Every structure is written in C-alpha cells, then in structure tokens.
Amino acid sequence: MDSVFSDTDTSCDLFPHTDDEDSRGSVRGASPQPDQQQLQPLQQKKRRRGRGRSDSTAQVVKKNRRLKANDRERNRMHNLNDALDALRGVLPAFPDETKLTKIETLRFAHNYIWALSETIRIADLQAGKTGDPPLLLSPSLLVEAPSPGSDGCSWSSSGSSSSSSPAYCASSPGSPSAPEDYSFLQQVPVFGFRSFAPGIY
DNA sequence: TAGGCCATCTGGTCCT
DNA sequence: AGGACCAGATGGCCTA
C-alpha cells in the first residue's frame, strides 16, 4: 500500500519474467525444475484417500485454484528475485566475489546507501564551509560506516538524524553515473562485500 | 555429513 | 471471490 512499488507491481512488466528463471537463481544451487516434479511428491503426500469419489467437482475447482495460486506465488517470488538482481546490479561489484546472497544484498545495499548519504552530507558541509569542491567519499568514513558493532541497522536509530535525511536518498539510486565512481570502494579492503555487510540483527 | 541458501508449495490472513 | 502477501514446511544443491 504505502510502499514505493505497489502490490500491483508484482505482476508488472518491470522485470519481464521468462521461463529461464532457473538460470538466474543460482550461482550456488541449481534449483530443480519445479513445476511438475516438485508438485508430485507433495500432492501425493497430502492426497487423502477419502471415501467416495476422490475428485469431486468441488475438489477439482479447489485444486485448480491452488495451482493458480501456486503459479502466482511463484511469479511473485520471481519478481522479488528480479528486483534483488537489479539491486545487485547497481551495487559495486568485485570481480572475484561470488554472487551475493539475498540477505547479503540487502545488508550491503543498506550500508552502501548509508555511506553514500554520509558522503553527500559531508560534502555539503565542506562545500558550505569553504566553497571548495567537495571531497569525495572518505575511506575512513566508509570503514566506520554503519556501526556494525551494534548492528547494521543502526542508521535508523542511532540518532544521526541529519545523516539519514530522506533528502539525500531521494535521488534515483538506480543508475550511478559510472561504475568507475565506485573505485574508491575497491581501495578499501575492509569493504569486501561480506565484510561490508555486517549483520543487521 | 552438517549447515547454508534457495525455490517451491501451502494454508492463513488481509485487501480490493 | 479472487489476488497479494506472509510465514512455515519441505526438499535439492553446494561447500566446508
């Protein structure tokens, strides 16, 4: 409802979904071709040998509804994964890093946005003070970014009110000007994905 | 082999 | 009524 992407977007064409979704799914695991193969065991397991006819009309209708719901749910999850992939796409990538897991992607994105916001804030401060061209992202800032000591989520509760100003997050995060913009990240070893994605909890 | 990650199924709940 | 969303369950694949 109040989200940026409304519910209706789950069926939108933003990420048109094709049937080769299994290739996307996994660096780590090749997901099985589910539609029929996984259906069978579960349905067999749940099938009741009730008295009377096993497949009344009502049961058929119910079954069809379930199958349709399964299909929608599958698409919904695929859309979710597509969005996650799009998010991975705008995060800085390291060539030797394997694909981020879902939770890592979310955590990294969270911290990354926080760091960029801080950069802008500090740059604004400096520009306001000196009139000099703003300093780009400071490595120390990045290293110290979202206080993983407490948790990766501290930006919303740590009292850094100005740093989390929505004004800095309002610009489109979808398309950084150039991949080179993120080169600073690669000069900060501690910024490997997994180290930059501290636990949220 | 255990544990992590993932895709899918499923039933419940809420919303339109 | 039907669809979206959610969380639990299940099973497969991969890696340490």
PDB file of all heavy atoms in Angstrom, chain A residues 181-200:
ATOM      1  N   ASP A 181      32.811   5.252 -10.604  1.00  0.00           N
ATOM      2  CA  ASP A 181      32.547   6.041  -9.418  1.00  0.00           C
ATOM      3  C   ASP A 181      32.796   5.245  -8.146  1.00  0.00           C
ATOM      4  O   ASP A 181      32.993   5.799  -7.100  1.00  0.00           O
ATOM      5  CB  ASP A 181      31.098   6.519  -9.436  1.00  0.00           C
ATOM      6  CG  ASP A 181      30.899   7.535 -10.526  1.00  0.00           C
ATOM      7  OD1 ASP A 181      31.892   8.058 -11.049  1.00  0.00           O
ATOM      8  OD2 ASP A 181      29.749   7.783 -10.869  1.00  0.00           O
ATOM      9  N   TYR A 182      32.752   3.957  -8.271  1.00  0.00           N
ATOM     10  CA  TYR A 182      32.855   3.140  -7.076  1.00  0.00           C
ATOM     11  C   TYR A 182      34.269   2.625  -6.850  1.00  0.00           C
ATOM     12  O   TYR A 182      34.493   1.779  -6.018  1.00  0.00           O
ATOM     13  CB  TYR A 182      31.903   1.964  -7.176  1.00  0.00           C
ATOM     14  CG  TYR A 182      30.498   2.400  -7.386  1.00  0.00           C
ATOM     15  CD1 TYR A 182      29.781   1.968  -8.486  1.00  0.00           C
ATOM     16  CD2 TYR A 182      29.896   3.288  -6.501  1.00  0.00           C
ATOM     17  CE1 TYR A 182      28.486   2.385  -8.695  1.00  0.00           C
ATOM     18  CE2 TYR A 182      28.605   3.715  -6.712  1.00  0.00           C
ATOM     19  CZ  TYR A 182      27.898   3.267  -7.809  1.00  0.00           C
ATOM     20  OH  TYR A 182      26.622   3.672  -8.015  1.00  0.00           O
ATOM     21  N   SER A 183      35.183   3.164  -7.607  1.00  0.00           N
ATOM     22  CA  SER A 183      36.536   2.621  -7.485  1.00  0.00           C
ATOM     23  C   SER A 183      37.078   2.797  -6.078  1.00  0.00           C
ATOM     24  O   SER A 183      37.889   2.012  -5.624  1.00  0.00           O
ATOM     25  CB  SER A 183      37.442   3.313  -8.481  1.00  0.00           C
ATOM     26  OG  SER A 183      37.426   4.701  -8.251  1.00  0.00           O
ATOM     27  N   PHE A 184      36.619   3.837  -5.428  1.00  0.00           N
ATOM     28  CA  PHE A 184      37.120   4.053  -4.070  1.00  0.00           C
ATOM     29  C   PHE A 184      36.823   2.869  -3.175  1.00  0.00           C
ATOM     30  O   PHE A 184      37.562   2.567  -2.267  1.00  0.00           O
ATOM     31  CB  PHE A 184      36.525   5.323  -3.471  1.00  0.00           C
ATOM     32  CG  PHE A 184      35.033   5.307  -3.435  1.00  0.00           C
ATOM     33  CD1 PHE A 184      34.367   4.662  -2.418  1.00  0.00           C
ATOM     34  CD2 PHE A 184      34.300   5.933  -4.432  1.00  0.00           C
ATOM     35  CE1 PHE A 184      32.986   4.663  -2.378  1.00  0.00           C
ATOM     36  CE2 PHE A 184      32.923   5.930  -4.384  1.00  0.00           C
ATOM     37  CZ  PHE A 184      32.261   5.297  -3.369  1.00  0.00           C
ATOM     38  N   LEU A 185      35.749   2.227  -3.460  1.00  0.00           N
ATOM     39  CA  LEU A 185      35.385   1.088  -2.627  1.00  0.00           C
ATOM     40  C   LEU A 185      36.429  -0.010  -2.715  1.00  0.00           C
ATOM     41  O   LEU A 185      36.738  -0.682  -1.746  1.00  0.00           O
ATOM     42  CB  LEU A 185      34.034   0.531  -3.057  1.00  0.00           C
ATOM     43  CG  LEU A 185      32.837   1.357  -2.644  1.00  0.00           C
ATOM     44  CD1 LEU A 185      31.573   0.777  -3.247  1.00  0.00           C
ATOM     45  CD2 LEU A 185      32.726   1.400  -1.142  1.00  0.00           C
ATOM     46  N   GLN A 186      36.964  -0.143  -3.902  1.00  0.00           N
ATOM     47  CA  GLN A 186      37.884  -1.251  -4.083  1.00  0.00           C
ATOM     48  C   GLN A 186      39.227  -0.958  -3.458  1.00  0.00           C
ATOM     49  O   GLN A 186      40.075  -1.824  -3.361  1.00  0.00           O
ATOM     50  CB  GLN A 186      38.023  -1.537  -5.569  1.00  0.00           C
ATOM     51  CG  GLN A 186      36.672  -1.834  -6.171  1.00  0.00           C
ATOM     52  CD  GLN A 186      36.765  -2.167  -7.642  1.00  0.00           C
ATOM     53  OE1 GLN A 186      37.811  -2.603  -8.109  1.00  0.00           O
ATOM     54  NE2 GLN A 186      35.697  -1.952  -8.375  1.00  0.00           N
ATOM     55  N   GLN A 187      39.431   0.284  -3.057  1.00  0.00           N
ATOM     56  CA  GLN A 187      40.688   0.600  -2.402  1.00  0.00           C
ATOM     57  C   GLN A 187      40.573   0.431  -0.906  1.00  0.00           C
ATOM     58  O   GLN A 187      41.506   0.692  -0.180  1.00  0.00           O
ATOM     59  CB  GLN A 187      41.107   2.033  -2.745  1.00  0.00           C
ATOM     60  CG  GLN A 187      41.369   2.182  -4.229  1.00  0.00           C
ATOM     61  CD  GLN A 187      41.420   3.635  -4.632  1.00  0.00           C
ATOM     62  OE1 GLN A 187      41.264   4.511  -3.799  1.00  0.00           O
ATOM     63  NE2 GLN A 187      41.655   3.885  -5.911  1.00  0.00           N
ATOM     64  N   VAL A 188      39.472   0.046  -0.472  1.00  0.00           N
ATOM     65  CA  VAL A 188      39.261  -0.155   0.950  1.00  0.00           C
ATOM     66  C   VAL A 188      39.011  -1.630   1.185  1.00  0.00           C
ATOM     67  O   VAL A 188      37.915  -2.114   1.042  1.00  0.00           O
ATOM     68  CB  VAL A 188      38.048   0.645   1.442  1.00  0.00           C
ATOM     69  CG1 VAL A 188      37.942   0.545   2.941  1.00  0.00           C
ATOM     70  CG2 VAL A 188      38.177   2.093   1.011  1.00  0.00           C
ATOM     71  N   PRO A 189      40.068  -2.319   1.577  1.00  0.00           N
ATOM     72  CA  PRO A 189      39.965  -3.775   1.673  1.00  0.00           C
ATOM     73  C   PRO A 189      38.831  -4.231   2.566  1.00  0.00           C
ATOM     74  O   PRO A 189      38.188  -5.233   2.301  1.00  0.00           O
ATOM     75  CB  PRO A 189      41.317  -4.187   2.263  1.00  0.00           C
ATOM     76  CG  PRO A 189      42.217  -3.021   2.068  1.00  0.00           C
ATOM     77  CD  PRO A 189      41.360  -1.811   1.960  1.00  0.00           C
ATOM     78  N   VAL A 190      38.648  -3.475   3.625  1.00  0.00           N
ATOM     79  CA  VAL A 190      37.630  -3.923   4.573  1.00  0.00           C
ATOM     80  C   VAL A 190      36.247  -3.893   3.947  1.00  0.00           C
ATOM     81  O   VAL A 190      35.286  -4.360   4.494  1.00  0.00           O
ATOM     82  CB  VAL A 190      37.657  -3.046   5.832  1.00  0.00           C
ATOM     83  CG1 VAL A 190      37.011  -1.710   5.543  1.00  0.00           C
ATOM     84  CG2 VAL A 190      36.963  -3.737   6.990  1.00  0.00           C
ATOM     85  N   PHE A 191      36.208  -3.365   2.755  1.00  0.00           N
ATOM     86  CA  PHE A 191      34.930  -3.212   2.098  1.00  0.00           C
ATOM     87  C   PHE A 191      34.543  -4.375   1.224  1.00  0.00           C
ATOM     88  O   PHE A 191      33.662  -4.267   0.420  1.00  0.00           O
ATOM     89  CB  PHE A 191      34.947  -1.951   1.256  1.00  0.00           C
ATOM     90  CG  PHE A 191      34.022  -0.953   1.827  1.00  0.00           C
ATOM     91  CD1 PHE A 191      33.978  -0.767   3.187  1.00  0.00           C
ATOM     92  CD2 PHE A 191      33.188  -0.215   1.027  1.00  0.00           C
ATOM     93  CE1 PHE A 191      33.122   0.161   3.732  1.00  0.00           C
ATOM     94  CE2 PHE A 191      32.334   0.712   1.572  1.00  0.00           C
ATOM     95  CZ  PHE A 191      32.313   0.900   2.924  1.00  0.00           C
ATOM     96  N   GLY A 192      35.237  -5.434   1.376  1.00  0.00           N
ATOM     97  CA  GLY A 192      34.756  -6.602   0.658  1.00  0.00           C
ATOM     98  C   GLY A 192      33.308  -6.800   1.005  1.00  0.00           C
ATOM     99  O   GLY A 192      32.862  -6.432   2.086  1.00  0.00           O
ATOM    100  N   PHE A 193      32.574  -7.336   0.089  1.00  0.00           N
ATOM    101  CA  PHE A 193      31.133  -7.423   0.285  1.00  0.00           C
ATOM    102  C   PHE A 193      30.781  -7.984   1.641  1.00  0.00           C
ATOM    103  O   PHE A 193      30.010  -7.443   2.384  1.00  0.00           O
ATOM    104  CB  PHE A 193      30.527  -8.315  -0.777  1.00  0.00           C
ATOM    105  CG  PHE A 193      30.199  -7.552  -2.001  1.00  0.00           C
ATOM    106  CD1 PHE A 193      30.506  -8.065  -3.246  1.00  0.00           C
ATOM    107  CD2 PHE A 193      29.593  -6.317  -1.916  1.00  0.00           C
ATOM    108  CE1 PHE A 193      30.198  -7.357  -4.378  1.00  0.00           C
ATOM    109  CE2 PHE A 193      29.284  -5.611  -3.054  1.00  0.00           C
ATOM    110  CZ  PHE A 193      29.598  -6.137  -4.290  1.00  0.00           C
ATOM    111  N   ARG A 194      31.376  -9.100   1.923  1.00  0.00           N
ATOM    112  CA  ARG A 194      30.946  -9.790   3.133  1.00  0.00           C
ATOM    113  C   ARG A 194      31.341  -9.049   4.394  1.00  0.00           C
ATOM    114  O   ARG A 194      30.681  -9.157   5.412  1.00  0.00           O
ATOM    115  CB  ARG A 194      31.470 -11.209   3.130  1.00  0.00           C
ATOM    116  CG  ARG A 194      30.461 -12.143   2.513  1.00  0.00           C
ATOM    117  CD  ARG A 194      31.030 -12.970   1.395  1.00  0.00           C
ATOM    118  NE  ARG A 194      29.980 -13.795   0.823  1.00  0.00           N
ATOM    119  CZ  ARG A 194      29.640 -13.754  -0.459  1.00  0.00           C
ATOM    120  NH1 ARG A 194      30.222 -12.932  -1.293  1.00  0.00           N
ATOM    121  NH2 ARG A 194      28.679 -14.516  -0.918  1.00  0.00           N
ATOM    122  N   SER A 195      32.449  -8.286   4.283  1.00  0.00           N
ATOM    123  CA  SER A 195      32.803  -7.527   5.474  1.00  0.00           C
ATOM    124  C   SER A 195      32.015  -6.234   5.541  1.00  0.00           C
ATOM    125  O   SER A 195      31.869  -5.643   6.593  1.00  0.00           O
ATOM    126  CB  SER A 195      34.293  -7.230   5.472  1.00  0.00           C
ATOM    127  OG  SER A 195      34.655  -6.546   4.298  1.00  0.00           O
ATOM    128  N   PHE A 196      31.512  -5.824   4.401  1.00  0.00           N
ATOM    129  CA  PHE A 196      30.719  -4.598   4.400  1.00  0.00           C
ATOM    130  C   PHE A 196      29.261  -4.883   4.660  1.00  0.00           C
ATOM    131  O   PHE A 196      28.439  -4.005   4.707  1.00  0.00           O
ATOM    132  CB  PHE A 196      30.879  -3.906   3.050  1.00  0.00           C
ATOM    133  CG  PHE A 196      30.247  -2.552   3.022  1.00  0.00           C
ATOM    134  CD1 PHE A 196      30.426  -1.668   4.074  1.00  0.00           C
ATOM    135  CD2 PHE A 196      29.477  -2.159   1.949  1.00  0.00           C
ATOM    136  CE1 PHE A 196      29.859  -0.402   4.036  1.00  0.00           C
ATOM    137  CE2 PHE A 196      28.903  -0.893   1.915  1.00  0.00           C
ATOM    138  CZ  PHE A 196      29.097  -0.019   2.959  1.00  0.00           C
ATOM    139  N   ALA A 197      28.970  -6.085   4.809  1.00  0.00           N
ATOM    140  CA  ALA A 197      27.582  -6.440   5.031  1.00  0.00           C
ATOM    141  C   ALA A 197      27.411  -7.067   6.403  1.00  0.00           C
ATOM    142  O   ALA A 197      27.099  -8.223   6.534  1.00  0.00           O
ATOM    143  CB  ALA A 197      27.117  -7.422   3.951  1.00  0.00           C
ATOM    144  N   PRO A 198      27.654  -6.262   7.407  1.00  0.00           N
ATOM    145  CA  PRO A 198      27.535  -6.797   8.760  1.00  0.00           C
ATOM    146  C   PRO A 198      26.095  -7.155   9.073  1.00  0.00           C
ATOM    147  O   PRO A 198      25.183  -6.678   8.426  1.00  0.00           O
ATOM    148  CB  PRO A 198      28.002  -5.640   9.640  1.00  0.00           C
ATOM    149  CG  PRO A 198      27.702  -4.436   8.836  1.00  0.00           C
ATOM    150  CD  PRO A 198      27.892  -4.831   7.402  1.00  0.00           C
ATOM    151  N   GLY A 199      25.959  -7.953  10.067  1.00  0.00           N
ATOM    152  CA  GLY A 199      24.626  -8.408  10.413  1.00  0.00           C
ATOM    153  C   GLY A 199      23.705  -7.268  10.769  1.00  0.00           C
ATOM    154  O   GLY A 199      24.122  -6.283  11.356  1.00  0.00           O
ATOM    155  N   ILE A 200      22.502  -7.414  10.381  1.00  0.00           N
ATOM    156  CA  ILE A 200      21.513  -6.406  10.718  1.00  0.00           C
ATOM    157  C   ILE A 200      21.001  -6.643  12.113  1.00  0.00           C
ATOM    158  O   ILE A 200      20.724  -5.744  12.875  1.00  0.00           O
ATOM    159  CB  ILE A 200      20.368  -6.450   9.710  1.00  0.00           C
ATOM    160  CG1 ILE A 200      20.826  -5.789   8.428  1.00  0.00           C
ATOM    161  CG2 ILE A 200      19.137  -5.745  10.246  1.00  0.00           C
ATOM    162  CD1 ILE A 200      19.780  -5.747   7.361  1.00  0.00           C
TER     163      ILE A 200
END
